[in-house]
Amino acid sequence: MKTIFDKSVAGREGCWPCEGMAEEAYIPAELLRQGEIGLPSASELDVVRHFTKLSQRNFGVDGNFYPLGSCTMKYNPKFTENVAALPGFTRLHPVLPQLQGAGGLCQGALEVMFETERLLSELTGMAAYTLHPMAGAHGELTGVMLMAAYHKDKGNKKTKVIVPDSAHGTNPASAAIAGYEVISIESVDGIVSPEALAEVLDDEVAGMMMTCPNTLGLFEKNLPKIVEMLREVDALLYYDGANLNAIMGKMRVGDVGFDIVHLNLHKTFATPHGGGGPGSGPVGVSEKLVPYLPISRVEKQEDGQFRLNYKHPKSIGYVAPFYGNFGVVLKAYAYMLRLGGPGLTRATENAVLAANYMRKRLADHFEVPYNRICMHEFVASAAGQAKAGVHAIDIAKALLDKGHHAPTVYFPLIVPEAIMIEPTETENKETLDRFIDDLIEIAELVDTTPEAITTAPVTLPVTRLDETRAARSMELTDDL
Amino acid sequence: MPYVPHTDDEVRDMLATIGVDSIEDLFAEISSDMRPASFDMPEGLSEMDVLTKLEAMAARNATDRVSFLGAGFYDHYIPAAVDALTMRGEFYTAYTPYQPEASQGTLQAIFEYQTAITRLLGMECANASVYDGGTALYEALMMAVRKTKRRKIVVSEALNPIYRVMLASYTSNLDIEFVTVPHKDGQTDIEGLKAAIDGETAALLVQNPNFFGSINDFTELFNACRENKAVSVISSYPVLQTLLKTPGDMGADIAVAEGQSLGLPLSFGGPYLGIMTCTKKMVRQMPGRIVGRTEDSEGRTGYVLTLQAREQHIRRQKATSNICSNQSLCALRALVHMCALGEMGLKRAARVSVERAHVCAERLTAIDGVEMLTKGPFGNEFAVTLPINAYEAIARLTERGYVPGFPLGRYYKDLENGLLVACTEKTSEEQIGIFAEMLKGALK
């Protein structure tokens, strides 16, 4: 499909933001840009039609089942959009509460933040939260910075962070970027074993980053022992909460002994993913880490008024210019109010139910390396099919032809030909069954007509795309 | 049960297939000592009740004030097409385009965004991944450190202080040294910066217009960077970039910006968009998702995520950055905004904003005791000094429905009387007139 730049016609006017066209005389000529910019000149209808057509070349949850493991692509109720679109929120300038006498002008927004932090604390059993991190990985970085601040303050000499091989790929990247050496440990029977941990655990370990349930969809049942071991060397335990959808109401990470947790509001708390972002990654901490939380922090005063407090001498400082992705926080807050504790628990129960149902039905047709009760997702493998020359990627593409988005493939790295499936709680049984039946049909085709799969997709606007060529040619913009 | 479709019969069926008696059996591995100590969450509310509650909270935010607040975040007009198109479910409820054939909409949109943004800034490559203008600066700084293997960062004090405090937090555990060159009465001290750049410098960080609204040409300064093999980084304001000499024309290696002013509401600080661009030479250092054009097996044009070998899902601890999201929806808003206004519309917004600011400056400085702090050319924002503490003036005017601007004393100790004032095309001349009258009254 042509780009909007190809459709541009010189001189055609878009919509006017305002009347008038002031002179450039206010700025000296030598500071002005030369020549045209090269932005499109198109009518509003040209633009509307272009982006409508573009959108039709996309799968989204509103149109397609999206069982993308580790991404929690659940349906997000539409009413939260009305909340986030209230002008009382969208028009609020972020520096307003920093002006003297102006804190009173944004009490509603401050209350949203205060209440959201309180609900998240109760849900996860943590002492306090910051809403500032703007994505899950940003929350991880913030969490590791908190870890570093804690040890520095206590005078601990710590250089290493342990990350199991079943953790999310961002965990080691975040630890490394915060300045730590990353120690990887192999999982045993799909989970972290205390014995493997003992081999690498010493006084130089600042903490360990765990994903639970892990990327295999398995619950880390050795947690109490792991917590005990880390405490002995004053190492902190970090919980990657991207998979919180699996445990709400069933376990609170704070009660188990985790010191730091990040949540992905755009996963568990139902904010649309928008093609990959924006997200929001609040971080919760146990009591001993509260002094290090980023500033500002929202507080409720005795008179019931809310205020921002910037005076926290041990704080790690600013990880965001303001208060995080407030618009995303709003949706998460509305979602929590709507579901309440019982609703969140039932979301978890049904997510886990759906995953186990699919695992059980598919296990006769695909290898499932850890074929036992899983949490909200499970990992199958196309290793069997690969012997016939059909790989996980081919199966993924064949699913696209059937109108489903593909599961996550080749992740986690510890399962060959991995197909990681996360159905979520919002898909009805007909959808689950249709996906399972389609996948079984694909498995049967592997034996009879494998080329029908290796040439997929054939029903979409494009067939398989040449990624090697893209990396080599580096065509990253439209040439003028 | 909201948003969960399974009937009791279906649940029984599914449990029977799994071979367990109850849903609780699925959680057997969470032993009793790991169960919640308490779970004092509220009961759920209806959609209507939640909406009513949130409407009441929104009403406690006074968004009816006439505001001259900017400080890097601006209230520009957003065409209705931006909401209408970006809210389409196919865009809105999609994920990171891991299966390109099913995500050509998202991918082509990012490619078009990359194109529009590089043209706007006069640069060669862009990503669509960074959270906001501050983290874009941090990522630029880290690119420079990786590229040069040096640790000294030269930064202008006229660079937005909100970003400078962020940079300090991010680098507190890293071996990085900042050399901050003071501003000169609100001007970027070009000679001072030049003198601070040497063979140890990893990066120079400057802003145009700077925090005080002052406009510069940094060509000479960036030449000095090149001579010292240091990386030049500029943060700019995208709307004004339709008028101003581009970072590319000045010879910048990396240009970043806060993308909020391109179609994103102020929304109390987020979500915003970190614009990040660089030269082709630097692209392998650039974090985040980048889209490339390619062909399918039939020779048709298509788009994919590319240069992924730098990324965390492949290189784990050796990755260029930990950034995983691609801020795609915000980039889409910026793209649709630029397209809907078009080349002329965006220039119009910029020019009118600049004109209003100059009218405003003239009206304010006509008041006894109010002086321009910003010397020389400025765009749609400028600083004045008042005869009284700026916080005081702000408090007096805010009571009367006008938010006059940002108090410079918050970040600059010697500028307690300094007030930073911004206008956009939404600021009317009538509002400017009332503002000037009110300020005059408040200073008496």
Side-chain angles (χ1 to χ4, degrees), chain B residues 175-210:
Chain B
D175 183 24
I176 283 172
E177 176 205 353
F178 286 97
V179 176
T180 304
V181 175
H183 71 92
K184 265 183 161 172
D185 293 333
Q187 306 301 294
T188 305
D189 183 359
I190 292 181
E191 289 309 312
L193 287 163
K194 213 196 249 177
I197 299 165
D198 58 26
E200 305 288 301
T201 307
L204 161 79
L205 311 181
V206 291
Q207 189 176 3
N208 190 46
N210 71 18

Side-chain angles (χ1 to χ4, degrees), chain B residues 357-378:
Chain B
H358 283 76
V359 170
C360 188
E362 208 166 289
R363 292 295 302 268
L364 297 188
T365 51
I367 303 167
D368 273 352
V370 179
E371 308 279 345
M372 277 305 272
L373 173 63
T374 307
K375 307 283 191 311
F378 62 95

Side-chain angles (χ1 to χ4, degrees), chain A residues 137-340:
Chain A
H138 197 210
E140 290 176 23
L141 181 58
T142 305
V144 182
M145 285 164 70
L146 289 166
M147 205 181 264
Y150 168 82
H151 289 305
K152 202 171 173 183
D153 193 32
K154 285 193 75 181
N156 294 345
K157 296 266 178 297
K158 305 277 195 181
T159 55
K160 300 185 280 196
V161 168
I162 298 173
V163 185
D165 60 0
S166 58
H168 287 138
T170 42
N171 287 185
S174 298
I177 278 152
Y180 283 109
E181 182 191 347
V182 177
I183 310 292
S184 183
I185 53 172
E186 281 181 31
S187 26
V188 177
D189 195 24
I191 58 174
V192 176
S193 91
E195 291 74 26
L197 175 59
E199 279 179 29
V200 295
L201 190 62
D202 60 29
D203 284 339
E204 288 174 10
V205 173
M208 172 154 151
M209 301 179 81
M210 291 195 68
T211 304
C212 176
N214 63 31
T215 55
L216 294 166
L218 301 176
F219 186 75
E220 296 280 356
K221 62 182 177 187
N222 299 321
L223 278 179
K225 178 69 187 161
I226 292 166
V227 170
E228 193 189 308
M229 291 169 72
L230 290 165
R231 287 268 156 78
E232 277 170 23
V233 295
D234 199 11
L236 301 172
L237 197 52
Y238 180 97
Y239 181 86
D240 180 320
N243 293 346
L244 197 80
N245 212 42
I247 61 160
M248 291 186 291
K250 302 296 178 187
M251 181 181 92
R252 301 199 312 169
V253 292
D255 296 344
V256 176
F258 282 89
D259 299 294
I260 309 168
V261 53
H262 91 259
L263 305 178
N264 294 62
L265 296 189
H266 52 291
K267 295 186 177 183
T268 316
F269 301 94
T271 295
H273 294 57
S280 172
V283 169
V285 293
S286 60
E287 203 66 52
K288 63 185 176 195
L289 288 163
V290 171
Y292 311 103
L293 283 172
I295 45 177
S296 60
R297 295 188 46 208
V298 61
E299 291 170 359
K300 190 173 187 174
Q301 303 176 147
E302 275 177 14
D303 61 2
Q305 292 281 301
F306 299 91
R307 67 186 280 259
L308 293 174
N309 189 342
Y310 293 83
K311 293 195 176 74
H312 292 279
K314 291 188 173 182
S315 166
I316 59 169
Y318 294 78
V319 298
F322 301 108
Y323 330 104
N325 282 342
F326 180 74
V328 181
V329 169
L330 261 177
K331 292 177 208 175
Y333 178 55
Y335 178 77
M336 281 191 283
L337 289 179
R338 170 79 178 99
L339 266 67

Side-chain angles (χ1 to χ4, degrees), chain B residues 372-392:
Chain B
M372 277 305 272
L373 173 63
T374 307
K375 307 283 191 311
F378 62 95
N380 68 324
E381 190 160 26
F382 60 94
V384 290
T385 49
L386 306 176
I388 63 169
N389 186 301
Y391 274 107
E392 187 63 25

Side-chain angles (χ1 to χ4, degrees), chain A residues 18 131-132 162 173 244 271 308 372 386 437 448 457 475 477:
Chain A
C18 54
L131 302 175
H132 294 202
I162 298 173
L244 197 80
T271 295
L308 293 174
R372 55 182 197 248
D437 293 342
T448 55
E475 206 182 326
T477 60

